[in-house]
């Protein structure tokens, strides 16, 4: 901390002195006037809420505001002179109203309706009383609108991400973006220790019902943290934006899982309080596995066969409270606290047979394993946001403290006799403080700058015990036990410029500096000296928008991936004595250069998105296995290492088709080619991912939807990893003016089990090599009943909870997009 804070404070001071002095109201004197108007969508003729409106004199911005729920805006206290209005909003082309003249003595200038034009034809969807777009391609990211997909009822974030183009999620919940698991996952643009040890475990704790959208950012700008060589996934959660007392309760009951979630929201004109909680339990998960290995060491072969039969359960709960206060239309702060807990367990037999090169039996045993995994995490967040007279100008401050506890353990029996056990307890902590500032430089240039300090700490206390029959008790095995205390501190600063060029061209360029400081301490081993390192991470994005919608973009960015605690932890997992695994605390970070060219085209309500990319990783972190022979028994030993290079070249194609206003079809195809080389071992090959979503809206509130996903086997340095597929069907019925809904979901209805196959091999010469083949069947066919209901009386007039407008404008209906929901 002593090294990080001075650097961060210096960055903050530099940014603060660049602040802009208060702006004057206008050039003239005398009486003041009001300028008002309504921002209207040119296609739907609806008012556009939350559009940014800036008032300019001849040289500078002098005031700014956001439109209300009807699209109206108003500037008061405007002196005589000549002005213009600039209007901007995501998804619309910027609009300006020139030569607004306020005469001396004039008290009001009413501009009436000011039309703004959608910058992609896809937004014509607003005029259709049917379905909104499931997939949107914005200038720097792809957006999957999860709340528009009815198959996301009663599930988890793991199931939602499986439907997002470019992403693949295996049945353990581990996420890959374009074939790489080095992904930075954020919740509402904020990090959390919930993802520190296992992204898969974290995703199971987020209910799918409370996810509004998922953003996939493949070429992050300098504003974003440098971590995540594949890119960034940002999960946006639903929030309540309407005044009143609202809430939601949802539940799902199925043969393999059940869930219960609820929230309560109170919102007035200036403040909002949200409370939420819930839990999920998954059960009846059955997995059958078969593992075969042929290993040859110094010309002598052994043949291993291992069969497994496992039953597992998973459960988790969470709670959250938040308070938001708006000082005015431009200034607010939020404080929130959230906690999560989870438990995972599995029981089953491992039947192992080992033969020598004459096919004679070396040994055979049945090992019964009872595994458990407990954990909890807590996040405390404080954020402050301020906009200035020019609404583009903005200051944001975030402070966050996160802590996560984890405990993994197993107890083993061999041939019905107690054998050994293990217990690994760990704590992950992270403190973040971040400042971001946006300064417009005229009408065409935006300057973004900021700094961040991150203080991370992780401990791992792993103990291994042997059962001693004479004492009828377990004894500590110090040779198989270890302890790690790992601290990683990062200081960062960035600067980025966005420039609007003629003919709808635009460029964004920036650089991010990050300094990393690491210390690692052990009890069993000597402390390891890990040198500090510095990284300058450039990024550039060149784009052009077309007149009739769509865009083309070319980008380059450099990213860094620091090894996670999963890769660093030296704790050895001995649950399978014939195949052990552990981490390496001396791993170095990997660097990646990413190039991408993408285009989006819109045809009425339909869209296609296409991109080609290359990702070249240096010092790539990957798993490496070898077979060692101890006392005549061969053991597969897997750890992690920095290999020489990992190159991936690929393409992404996604589409969103609406044959009519009731039917939507979406999906994508992502082929790629991988080459990996560590100078002694190399591997290469093709991979492909395919997904499909479709939804049809029927009469009287009924709807039906389906989805499917396939991922081919992934190329690894020493073989291939599991490919798999998944599919599901959902039927839903809305009731009581969409306040409630019930439905039925089928997962994998057409297959009894999902089959996984993978291979692992290493060839040194004809006298030293090994070949391993794994296959497993995971039984995931299930049926689930879902129910959801939203309650409360909400006001749309913006006057607040305690100052309601009486009369015909009261609105009792609940907007399905908002739903009165807030995470979590």
């Amino acid at each position: 901390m002593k090294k990080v804070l001075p650097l961060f404070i210096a960055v903050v001071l530099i940014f603060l002195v660049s602040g802009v002095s208060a702006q004057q109201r206008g050039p003239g004197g005398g009486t003041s006037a009001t300028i008002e108007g309504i921002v209207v969508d040119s296609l739907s003729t609806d008012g556009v809420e939350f559009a940014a409106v800036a008032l300019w004199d001849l040289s500078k911005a002098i005031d700014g505001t956001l439109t209300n729920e009807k699209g109206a805006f108003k500037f008061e206290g405007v002196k005589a002179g000549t002005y213009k209005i600039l209007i901007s909003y995501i998804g619309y082309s910027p609009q300006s109203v020139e030569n607004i003249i306020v005469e001396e003595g004039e008290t009001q200038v009413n501009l009436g309706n000011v039309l703004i034009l959608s910058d992609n034809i896809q937004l014509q969807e607003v005029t259709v009383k049917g379905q909104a777009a499931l997939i949107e391609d914005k200038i720097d990211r792809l957006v999957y609108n999860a709340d528009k997909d009815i198959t996301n009822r009663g599930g988890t974030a793991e199931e939602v991400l499986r439907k997002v183009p470019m992403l693949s999620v295996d049945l353990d919940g581990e996420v890959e973006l374009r074939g790489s698991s080095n992904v930075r996952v954020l919740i509402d643009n904020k990090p959390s220790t919930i993802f520190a040890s296992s992204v898969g475990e974290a995703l199971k704790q987020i209910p799918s019902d409370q996810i509004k959208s998922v953003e996939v950012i493949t070429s992050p700008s300098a504003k974003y943290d440098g971590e995540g060589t594949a890119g960034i996934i940002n999960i946006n959660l639903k929030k309540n934006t309407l005044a009143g007392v609202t809430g939601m309760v949802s539940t799902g009951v199925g043969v393999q899982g059940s869930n219960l979630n609820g929230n309560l929201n109170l919102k007035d004109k200036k403040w909002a309080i949200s409370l939420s909680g819930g839990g999920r339990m998954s059960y009846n998960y059955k997995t059958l596995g078969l593992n075969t290995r042929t290993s040859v060491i110094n010309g002598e072969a052994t043949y291993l066969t291992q069969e497994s039969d496992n039953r597992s359960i998973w459960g988790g709960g969470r709670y959250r409270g938040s308070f938001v206060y708006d000082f005015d239309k431009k200034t607010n702060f939020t404080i929130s606290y959230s906690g999560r807990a989870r438990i995972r367990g599995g029981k089953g037999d491992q039947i192992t047979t080992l033969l020598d090169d004459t096919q004679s039996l070396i040994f055979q045993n049945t090992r019964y394993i009872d595994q458990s995994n407990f954990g909890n995490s807590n996040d405390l967040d404080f954020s402050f946001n301020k906009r200035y007279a020019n609404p583009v100008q903005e200051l944001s401050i975030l402070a966050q403290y996160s802590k996560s506890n984890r405990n993994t353990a197993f107890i083993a029996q061999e041939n019905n006799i107690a054998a050994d056990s293990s217990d690994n307890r760990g704590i992950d902590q992270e403190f973040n403080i971040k400042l971001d500032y946006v300064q417009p430089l005229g009408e065409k240039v935006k300057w973004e700058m900021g700094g961040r300090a991150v203080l991370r700490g992780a401990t791992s206390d792993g103990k291994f015990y042997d059962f001693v029959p004479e004492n009828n008790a377990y004894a500590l095995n110090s040779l198989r036990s270890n302890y790690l205390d790992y601290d990683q501190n990062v200081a960062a600063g960035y600067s980025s410029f966005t420039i609007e060029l003629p003919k709808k061209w635009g460029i964004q360029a920036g650089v991010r500096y990050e300094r990393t400081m690491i210390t690692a301490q052990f009890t069993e081993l000597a402390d390891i000296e890990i040198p500090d390192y510095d990284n300058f991470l450039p990024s550039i994005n060149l784009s052009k928008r077309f007149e009739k919608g769509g865009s083309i973009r070319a980008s380059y960015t450099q990213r860094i991936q620091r090894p996670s605690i999963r890769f660093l932890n030296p704790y050895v997992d001995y649950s399978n004595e014939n195949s052990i695994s552990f981490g390496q605390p001396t791993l170095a970070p990997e660097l990646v250069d990413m190039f991408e060219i993408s285009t989006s085209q819109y045809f009425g309500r339909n869209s296609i998105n296409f991109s080609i990319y290359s990702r070249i990783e240096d010092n790539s972190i990957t798993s490496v296995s070898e077979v060692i022979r101890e006392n005549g028994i061969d053991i597969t030993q897997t750890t992690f290492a920095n290999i020489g290079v990992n190159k991936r070249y690929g393409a992404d194609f996604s589409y969103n088709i609406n044959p009519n206003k009731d039917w939507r079809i979406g999906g994508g195809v992502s082929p790629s080619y991988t080459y990996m080389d560590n100078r002694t071992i190399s591997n290469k090959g093709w991979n492909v991912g395919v997904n499909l979503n479709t939804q049809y809206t029927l009469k009287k509130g009924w709807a039906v939807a389906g989805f499917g996903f396939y991922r081919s086997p992934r190329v690894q340095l020493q073989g291939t990893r599991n490919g798999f597929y998944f599919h599901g069907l959902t039927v839903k019925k809305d009731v009581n003016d969409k306040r409630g809904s019930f439905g039925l979901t089928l997962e994998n209805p057409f297959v009894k089990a999902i089959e996984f196959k993978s291979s692992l091999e290493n060839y040194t010469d004809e006298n030293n090599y090994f070949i391993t083949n794994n296959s497993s069947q995971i039984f995931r066919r299930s049926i689930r009943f879902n129910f959801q209901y939203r309650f409360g009386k909400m006001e749309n007039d913006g006057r607040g909870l305690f100052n309601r407008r009486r009369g015909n404008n009261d609105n009792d209906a609940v907007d399905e997009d908002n739903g009165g929901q807030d995470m979590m």
Side-chain angles (χ1 to χ4, degrees):
M1 181 179 292
K2 292 180 180 179
K3 295 180 179 180
V4 177
L5 291 181
L7 286 173
F8 178 75
I9 292 171
V11 171
V12 171
L13 289 175
I14 292 172
F15 296 154
L16 290 180
V17 299
S18 66
V20 179
S21 60
Q23 312 266 4
Q24 299 297 319
R25 279 288 181 173
T31 60
S32 61
T34 297
I35 298 177
E36 59 186 337
I38 301 175
V39 178
V40 175
D41 185 299
S42 63
L43 296 177
S44 69
T45 69
D46 294 331
V48 179
E49 186 179 10
F50 298 128
V53 185
L55 178 66
W56 284 65
D57 61 14
L58 296 178
S59 61
K60 61 184 182 298
I62 60 173
D63 202 356
T65 187
L66 298 176
T67 57
N68 64 15
E69 71 280 355
K70 296 180 179 179
F73 64 88
K74 180 187 290 186
F75 296 106
E76 297 177 329
V78 182
K79 298 179 180 180
T82 301
Y83 301 90
K84 66 179 175 181
I85 294 288
L86 296 181
I87 302 169
S88 61
Y89 190 65
I90 296 174
Y92 291 84
S93 297
Q95 176 65 287
S96 65
V97 181
E98 307 285 342
N99 296 320
I100 302 171
I101 300 175
V102 178
E103 303 285 356
E104 283 288 351
E106 192 171 13
T107 60
Q108 185 181 32
V109 176
N110 193 328
L111 303 178
N113 290 343
V114 181
L115 301 181
I116 59 174
L117 179 66
S118 164
D119 64 5
N120 62 54
I121 303 303
Q122 181 185 20
L123 292 183
Q124 289 180 9
E125 197 82 41
V126 177
T127 66
V128 181
K129 300 298 184 181
Q131 304 176 33
L134 188 67
I135 305 294
E136 295 180 76
D137 183 54
K138 298 188 177 181
I139 193 63
D140 64 342
R141 67 196 63 197
L142 181 142
V143 182
Y144 168 71
N145 292 307
D147 59 340
K148 307 302 180 186
D149 189 342
I150 67 170
T151 64
N152 294 326
R153 301 284 174 92
T156 67
E158 170 190 347
E159 295 160 334
V160 173
L161 265 63
R162 222 173 252 137
K163 304 166 192 175
V164 180
M166 296 188 285
L167 300 184
S168 63
V169 186
D170 64 21
L171 293 188
D172 290 323
E174 296 305 319
V175 183
E176 288 187 352
L177 169 56
R178 288 177 167 173
S180 173
S181 59
N182 291 330
V183 183
R184 179 71 161 167
V185 182
L186 306 175
I187 298 178
D188 288 332
N189 286 300
K190 292 182 289 188
S192 173
T193 56
I194 185 177
F195 297 109
S197 57
S198 172
V199 172
E201 291 288 344
L203 293 177
K204 290 182 173 67
Q205 300 181 50
I206 304 174
S208 60
D209 308 78
Q210 296 182 3
I211 298 176
K212 181 174 180 61
S213 64
V214 179
E215 299 175 338
V216 181
I217 308 171
T218 54
S219 298
S221 69
K223 179 178 181 178
Y224 290 93
D225 290 340
E227 286 188 300
T229 55
I232 294 173
I233 299 171
N234 182 43
I235 301 173
N236 290 309
L237 301 161
K238 295 178 181 177
K239 296 176 178 62
N240 177 41
T241 60
L242 302 177
V245 180
T246 62
M248 181 274 292
V249 61
S250 67
T251 186
V253 180
V255 298
Q256 286 195 330
S258 300
N259 66 85
L260 176 64
N261 300 291
N263 64 51
L264 178 66
N265 307 284
L266 294 84
K267 191 175 190 302
D268 196 30
K269 189 173 183 179
K270 282 185 172 293
W271 56 264
I273 297 175
S274 297
L275 303 172
S276 59
R280 177 181 176 84
M281 179 64 71
S282 300
Y283 37 78
N284 294 333
Y285 282 1
K286 177 183 178 182
T287 304
L288 299 178
L290 175 64
N291 172 266
T292 62
R293 184 190 68 207
T294 299
S295 57
V296 178
I297 298 177
N298 297 326
E300 297 182 0
T302 64
Y303 305 93
L304 177 135
T305 302
Q306 190 172 74
E307 300 176 78
S308 61
D309 184 346
N310 188 69
R311 305 293 194 278
S312 61
I313 62 170
W314 185 94
R318 87 224 161 276
Y319 51 88
R320 184 180 192 262
S322 68
F323 175 75
V324 180
Y325 186 80
D326 296 324
F327 294 99
D328 51 47
K329 291 183 178 180
K330 302 172 185 176
T331 310
N332 68 76
F333 82 89
T334 302
I335 185 169
S336 65
Y337 175 78
S338 60
R340 306 166 187 85
R342 51 119 172 85
I343 178 174
R344 185 173 187 176
K347 300 179 180 181
D349 289 326
Q350 295 175 352
I351 303 173
T352 304
T353 302
L354 185 65
L355 307 177
D356 63 18
D357 57 1
T358 65
Q359 301 294 312
S360 299
L361 181 66
I362 298 177
F363 79 86
Q364 183 177 45
N365 74 349
T366 299
R367 185 172 168 86
Y368 177 81
I369 306 293
D370 186 349
Q371 294 179 299
S372 62
N373 188 324
F374 303 89
N376 64 75
S377 61
N378 298 273
D379 294 332
L380 178 63
D381 300 333
F382 172 85
S383 62
F384 173 84
N385 293 277
K386 179 175 178 58
R387 289 182 179 270
Y388 296 83
N390 185 333
V392 176
Q393 184 183 0
E394 183 177 10
L395 173 69
S396 300
I397 299 174
L398 170 68
Q400 181 185 54
Y401 175 73
S402 301
K403 183 177 180 180
S404 176
N405 298 281
R406 47 191 162 76
N407 182 14
T408 59
F410 75 82
I411 299 176
Q413 296 178 355
E414 291 188 2
N415 302 320
N416 297 318
I417 299 174
D420 49 58
S421 68
S422 178
D423 181 82
N424 180 227
R425 299 175 184 270
I427 299 175
D428 301 322
Q429 297 186 80
E430 183 171 306
F431 174 73
N432 274 278
I433 182 168
K434 184 174 70 164
L435 181 146
D436 297 293
Y437 180 71
V438 183
Q439 172 65 52
L441 303 176
E443 299 180 37
K444 305 287 187 181
V445 180
K446 180 174 67 175
W447 181 22
E448 296 177 272
M449 60 196 116
R452 185 184 183 204
V454 186
L455 311 176
R456 296 187 179 114
T459 60
S460 171
D461 188 4
K463 291 183 170 59
F464 188 88
Y465 302 90
D466 293 312
F467 185 76
V468 182
E470 295 81 2
N471 301 329
N472 194 30
Y474 289 93
L476 178 67
N477 185 333
S478 60
L479 295 178
R480 289 190 171 185
S481 301
N482 52 56
Y483 178 85
L484 170 67
D485 187 348
Y486 191 91
D487 292 318
Q488 181 191 91
N489 300 327
V490 180
Y494 73 91
S495 180
S496 176
F497 290 88
T498 302
I499 304 172
E500 182 182 338
L501 302 174
K503 298 183 179 180
K504 293 187 177 294
W505 283 93
I507 187 170
Q508 182 184 71
V511 64
R512 185 178 185 89
Y513 165 74
E514 296 191 349
R515 179 169 179 81
T516 306
M517 293 148 280
I518 297 174
T519 59
Q521 298 176 347
F522 300 84
T523 54
E524 288 76 18
L525 301 174
D527 293 346
I528 297 175
E529 290 292 334
I530 302 176
D532 301 345
Y533 50 88
D534 302 276
N535 297 99
F536 288 90
L537 307 173
S539 64
I540 186 168
N541 187 321
L542 179 66
S543 62
K544 176 180 173 58
R545 291 188 177 276
F546 303 129
E547 293 290 343
K548 296 183 179 181
S551 64
I552 186 169
R553 175 170 61 93
S555 64
Y556 163 77
T557 185
Q558 189 175 83
R559 308 281 292 166
I560 184 175
Q561 183 65 46
R562 300 176 182 89
S564 68
I565 189 64
R566 173 180 165 230
F567 298 148
L568 298 167
N569 194 349
Y571 164 72
V572 182
D573 183 356
Y574 287 103
S575 57
N576 183 346
E577 289 191 323
N578 299 102
S579 182
I580 64 175
S581 61
F582 53 91
Q584 287 286 356
T586 57
L587 286 173
E590 61 183 32
L591 290 173
V592 62
D593 293 287
M594 298 192 297
F595 300 86
E596 179 179 359
I597 298 176
S598 64
T599 184
S600 304
Q601 296 291 336
Y602 300 93
F603 310 94
R605 297 189 304 269
N606 309 311
S607 66
I608 59 172
N609 313 297
F610 178 73
S611 63
I612 57 175
Y613 67 90
S614 71
R615 188 174 69 235
I616 302 174
E617 297 178 5
D618 188 23
N619 249 9
S620 180
I621 299 173
T622 189
S623 61
V624 177
S625 299
E626 64 175 335
V627 174
I628 60 173
R629 181 165 294 169
E630 293 182 353
N631 301 321
I633 298 176
D634 292 350
I635 301 172
T636 301
Q637 181 174 279
T638 301
T639 187
F640 300 94
N642 294 107
I643 69 168
V645 67
N646 184 352
K647 298 180 180 179
R648 182 178 293 271
Y649 308 95
D652 293 305
F653 173 76
S654 62
Y655 56 89
N656 188 52
I657 300 172
N658 295 266
N660 55 53
K661 68 182 181 66
D662 298 317
W663 188 13
R664 179 178 63 216
I665 304 171
V669 180
S670 300
S672 63
Y673 179 81
T674 300
Y675 173 77
M676 308 175 75
D677 187 355
N678 74 344
R679 300 180 182 89
T680 59
I681 308 172
S682 64
N683 199 7
K684 59 185 177 181
W686 286 93
N687 311 286
V688 66
V690 181
N691 65 44
L692 172 69
N693 289 273
T694 184
Q695 181 173 322
Y696 199 92
T697 302
L698 304 170
K699 295 181 179 179
K700 297 182 179 181
W702 286 95
V704 61
F707 77 93
F709 171 83
Y710 169 74
R711 187 186 78 183
S712 70
R714 297 294 194 201
V715 172
Q716 297 189 114
L717 181 64
Q718 294 174 288
T720 59
R721 196 175 58 208
N722 299 325
F724 71 101
Y725 53 87
F726 211 86
H727 66 280
L729 295 171
T730 295
V731 177
K732 184 204 72 166
K733 172 71 167 70
D734 290 326
V735 296
N736 196 14
D737 292 330
K738 293 188 177 181
R739 283 182 176 268
S741 67
F742 62 85
L744 196 66
T745 297
L746 303 176
E747 292 183 347
N748 294 304
F750 303 119
V751 293
K752 185 177 180 181
I754 303 173
E755 187 172 12
F756 285 78
K757 290 185 177 181
S758 63
S759 66
L760 184 67
E761 60 184 69
N762 186 55
Y763 184 87
T764 303
D765 54 51
E766 61 183 7
N767 292 317
N768 293 276
Y769 65 89
F770 69 87
I771 300 173
T772 299
N773 291 295
N774 296 288
S775 65
S776 60
Q777 289 183 306
I778 300 179
F779 294 80
R780 288 290 296 270
R781 182 162 63 180
S782 69
I783 182 171
R784 182 175 68 238
F785 175 79
N786 306 307
F787 174 76
Q788 184 179 85
Y789 191 80
R790 303 179 181 92
F791 59 87
K793 184 181 180 68
M794 298 180 297
E795 300 296 325
N796 286 325
D797 61 6
R799 293 178 179 263
L801 177 61
F802 302 111
N803 187 21
R804 295 177 178 174
R805 183 194 311 178
R806 303 296 180 183
N808 295 330
N809 290 326
D810 283 347
N811 186 357
D812 291 342
V814 177
D815 182 357
E816 185 176 18
D817 289 347
N818 294 304
Q821 297 189 49
D822 192 10
M823 164 69 181
M824 237 160 25

